Amino acid sequence: MQDPQRPSPLNPVPPFVIALFLVIIGVEAMFSLGERGMIGGPEAIGWRAGAIEDYGFNGDILTWMMQNNVWPTEHLRRFVTYAFVHGSFTHALFAGVLLLAMGKFVSEVFRHWAVLVLFVVSTVGGALVFGLVVQDRPWLIGAFPGVYGLIGGFTYIMWLRLGQLGSNQARAFTLIGVLMGLQLIFGLLFGASATWVADVSGFVVGFLASFVLSPGGFAKLRARIRHD
C-alpha cells in the first residue's frame, strides 16, 4: 500500500490554472454550441463576434484613450478579457493545453500567486506592446500572450538551472525558438498575423518579470542594484 504521508512525485496543477482553463474552454463551448444552433437560438450565431467587439483588444481603442486621456473601465478591462475569447475551438484548446502544461511546470518553482501574476502581467504587456507597435490594427484575442509569459517563466527557470550546471544558457531559449519557428511556418502557409507581436512581447515580459516573481527574486534584484 502507498504511504499516505509520502509526497507524490507529481505536483498537482494549481487550482487557479485549472480555473483559467475551465473558463477558456467554457466560453469557447458556449460559442461553438451557439454557432451550431444547439443553444441560444438564432442570435447565438453572433455571440463570438459580439464578444470580440466587447472584450477583445484593439490598438485603435488604445490610441483613442491615449489621445483623449480618457481611460474608461469598459476599455481597460480589454487588456485582460481578450485572453478568454478565441477564434475557434482549436485555438482555445491549444491555448488551454499549453496553459495547463506551463502553469504546472512553473508552479513547481514559483509560488502559485506568482504564476497567476506572471500570466496577468504578460497578458497585459502583450496587449500594450501590440497596441503601440502594430499598425494595421487587427483584433487581439486569445490566451497565447499570457501563455507565452509562462513560457518566459519556464525559460527563466531553465536559464538558471543551466547556469548552475555550467552549461550554455542559450539552450534555455530552445522552446521559444521552436514555437516562433512554427509560427513562421504557419504564417507562410496560411497567412501571417501580427498577433505574434503580442506573443513575443508576452514572452519577454514573462521572462523579465520572473527575475522579481521567482522565490527570493526581489531580494536578489535589490541586492544586485545596491551592489552596482
Side-chain angles (χ1 to χ4, degrees), residues 86-110:
H86 293 79
S88 66
F89 179 79
T90 302
H91 186 202
L93 182 61
F94 280 150
V97 170
L98 279 174
L99 172 64
L100 289 175
M102 291 295 103
K104 179 182 183 303
F105 184 90
V106 177
S107 66
E108 292 176 354
V109 177
F110 286 36

Side-chain angles (χ1 to χ4, degrees), residues 14-17 20 103 106-107 109-121 150 209 212-218:
F16 79 86
V17 173
L20 290 174
V106 177
S107 66
V109 177
F110 286 36
R111 294 180 179 88
H112 287 186
W113 65 264
V115 180
L116 178 59
V117 172
L118 188 64
F119 177 82
V120 173
V121 298
L150 296 181
V212 176
L213 295 174
S214 61
F218 182 76

Side-chain angles (χ1 to χ4, degrees), residues 49-196:
I52 292 174
E53 293 183 359
D54 292 339
Y55 299 102
F57 181 84
N58 189 282
D60 288 332
I61 297 175
L62 176 61
T63 299
W64 176 85
M65 290 192 293
M66 294 174 62
Q67 290 176 345
N68 295 278
N69 195 26
V70 177
W71 309 92
T73 303
E74 64 179 305
H75 292 324
L76 289 177
R77 70 184 182 188
R78 295 174 182 271
F79 282 94
V80 176
T81 57
Y82 79 87
F84 300 97
V85 182
H86 293 79
S88 66
F89 179 79
T90 302
H91 186 202
L93 182 61
F94 280 150
V97 170
L98 279 174
L99 172 64
L100 289 175
M102 291 295 103
K104 179 182 183 303
F105 184 90
V106 177
S107 66
E108 292 176 354
V109 177
F110 286 36
R111 294 180 179 88
H112 287 186
W113 65 264
V115 180
L116 178 59
V117 172
L118 188 64
F119 177 82
V120 173
V121 298
S122 301
T123 298
V124 174
L128 181 61
V129 175
F130 175 84
L132 293 173
V133 172
V134 176
Q135 298 298 318
D136 55 356
R137 307 300 194 189
W139 284 100
L140 176 64
I141 56 174
F144 277 105
V147 170
Y148 270 72
L150 296 181
I151 295 174
F154 165 84
T155 301
Y156 172 81
I157 294 170
M158 299 304 298
W159 181 74
L160 284 182
R161 290 180 177 175
L162 289 171
Q164 293 168 353
L165 295 172
S167 301
N168 183 6
Q169 289 179 287
R171 290 167 51 197
F173 296 88
T174 300
L175 177 59
I176 186 63
V178 170
L179 290 174
M180 296 314 301
L182 290 175
Q183 281 206 349
L184 175 61
I185 293 173
F186 281 117
L188 293 175
L189 293 176
F190 304 107
S193 172
T195 56
W196 66 266

Side-chain angles (χ1 to χ4, degrees), residues 220-228:
K220 294 176 183 177
L221 182 62
R222 183 174 57 183
R224 181 173 297 181
I225 292 174
R226 288 180 175 177
H227 178 73
D228 294 340

